[in-house]
Amino acid sequence: MRKSGNRRGVDHRNDDAERSDKLISGLEKVCRAPGYLIRRAHQFATAAYTAEFDSDVVTGVQFVALTAISEQPGLTGVNVAERIGYDKMTTSHVIRRLERKGFIERRQSEQDGREIRIWLTPAGRAAMEVVAARLWRVSDRLFAPLTMAERETLLAILEKLEAAARSG
């Protein structure tokens, strides 16, 4: 007597359920993978940042660049890239956008006429003040589900990963 109408007499009715269970457990594994979780956390952070900021202020990387420039006026573009941990090409685009917004100005170095140095403008300083207050609100939103100890642990882990990324 044949089962389930297949030719070999094998019952395949449970195969679909087993495959479904394997897919679910596979999906659970994928959803617990570090890369997936980091990507989801990045999406959450980006959404929180976007909700708080208007497009006319600055992006996250622009704010980091402004901070580096404000802390050490007269940096070169290469110096900014090194300080913020971005590649030179991306940083040059960021600097160009900040200059177009009037937040920085580039001037020829007095010591070496071949070098261009970057300075924060009063408009750039004002933008930083607006952004800094909003940035703390974003951080509060991101960390809302965490205890203080979890926040400190997460920050320590993220700093360690970022340092590893910088060192290559």
Side-chain angles (χ1 to χ4, degrees), residues 23-43:
L23 286 176
I24 290 171
S25 66
L27 181 59
E28 287 172 0
K29 286 179 186 174
V30 169
C31 291
R32 289 191 49 87
Y36 175 81
L37 291 170
I38 289 169
R39 175 68 179 134
R40 292 291 294 143
H42 178 260
Q43 288 173 325

Side-chain angles (χ1 to χ4, degrees), residues 8-144:
R8 294 193 176 136
V10 178
D11 188 353
H12 291 284
R13 287 178 287 187
N14 291 329
D15 286 356
D16 288 340
E18 286 176 32
R19 266 189 244 124
S20 179
D21 287 345
K22 286 179 183 174
L23 286 176
I24 290 171
S25 66
L27 181 59
E28 287 172 0
K29 286 179 186 174
V30 169
C31 291
R32 289 191 49 87
Y36 175 81
L37 291 170
I38 289 169
R39 175 68 179 134
R40 292 291 294 143
H42 178 260
Q43 288 173 325
F44 178 53
T46 300
Y49 187 90
T50 302
E52 188 64 44
F53 290 92
D54 297 328
S55 61
D56 64 325
V57 184
V58 294
T59 66
V61 68
Q62 289 173 349
F63 180 74
V64 173
L66 285 173
T67 302
I69 295 163
S70 74
E71 288 179 355
Q72 199 171 348
L75 292 171
T76 66
V78 171
N79 298 145
V80 174
E82 290 168 352
R83 294 215 49 215
I84 68 174
Y86 277 78
D87 63 90
K88 294 172 194 169
M89 183 61 76
T90 300
T91 304
S92 70
H93 292 298
V94 169
I95 290 169
R96 219 173 294 128
R97 285 188 212 96
L98 289 171
E99 188 176 35
R100 272 191 238 128
K101 290 180 177 185
F103 295 159
I104 61 164
E105 62 182 14
R106 295 191 267 188
R107 293 186 235 143
Q108 197 170 19
S109 170
E110 294 175 9
Q111 291 80 20
D112 182 347
R114 298 169 294 175
E115 281 187 334
I116 303 296
R117 300 288 179 157
I118 304 165
W119 305 88
L120 200 62
T121 64
R125 194 166 311 287
M128 284 186 67
E129 290 174 14
V130 169
V131 171
R134 292 179 179 181
L135 203 54
W136 288 116
R137 286 196 295 263
V138 172
S139 293
D140 288 343
R141 185 177 304 151
L142 293 174
F143 284 149

